Amino acid sequence: MSDEIRRNMPLFSMGTITKLTDLTPRQVRYYEQQDLIRPERTRGNQRLFSFHDVDRLLQIKSLMEKGVNIAGVKEILQDQDRSQDSKRAEQKPRPSKPDLSEEELHKLLKRQLSELSYQPNRGHLISGELSRFFH
DNA sequence: GTTCTCACA
DNA sequence: TGTGAGGA
């Protein structure tokens, strides 16, 4: 599948990425430190992102807007990676697997809330966001 | 002009 | 996470 190659081809600069994702360079670099993405580097040590990276960054952004923290995003993306690997290993076309089931997300968020006993700053926003999960 | 790393009144 | 320094 040459599509994989194109998808992972390093093409975008930091500037392009920030415009594409609306994230700050600071955030993008931080997410890389957290091993959420692994962009290539040029000789000058400049980051080069692929379509794949853009997708992941958008997913990260989306999840965090839902109230998931870095740790949670990590788990979700890890699970995602695992299922992708097993797919390749089994060489199954597409067993059809949604990004993340509502049930999974609820479970994750619930656990996070109990562990963190609400985040100090965004606590209100989160409980607002999550209110529908507990009704 | 951009991006990189490191460090923090 | 933001921001500034200092360099490539």
Side-chain angles (χ1 to χ4, degrees), chain A residues 39 66 81 90 124:
Chain A
K66 288 185 180 181
D81 291 342
E90 299 166 28
H124 291 358

Side-chain angles (χ1 to χ4, degrees), chain A residues 63-103:
Chain A
L63 286 170
M64 294 196 71
E65 284 173 346
K66 288 185 180 181
V68 183
N69 58 208
I70 296 291
V73 175
K74 267 189 192 175
E75 292 182 42
I76 294 173
L77 261 47
Q78 270 176 34
D79 279 21
Q80 210 169 270
D81 291 342
R82 280 198 296 92
S83 61
Q84 275 184 43
D85 289 343
S86 60
K87 271 185 195 174
R88 296 201 190 89
E90 299 166 28
Q91 288 194 341
K92 287 182 180 177
R94 286 193 63 73
S96 74
K97 202 157 191 175
D99 290 338
L100 181 69
S101 71
E102 284 289 298
E103 187 185 2

Side-chain angles (χ1 to χ4, degrees), chain A residues 2 9 31 82 131:
Chain A
S2 61
M9 179 125 10
Y31 298 156
R82 280 198 296 92
S131 61

Side-chain angles (χ1 to χ4, degrees), chain A residues 116-134:
Chain A
L116 302 176
S117 65
Y118 298 103
Q119 290 186 343
N121 32 330
R122 294 190 306 165
H124 291 358
L125 280 177
I126 292 180
S127 27
E129 275 285 336
L130 304 182
S131 61
R132 65 186 176 104
F133 296 153
F134 303 109

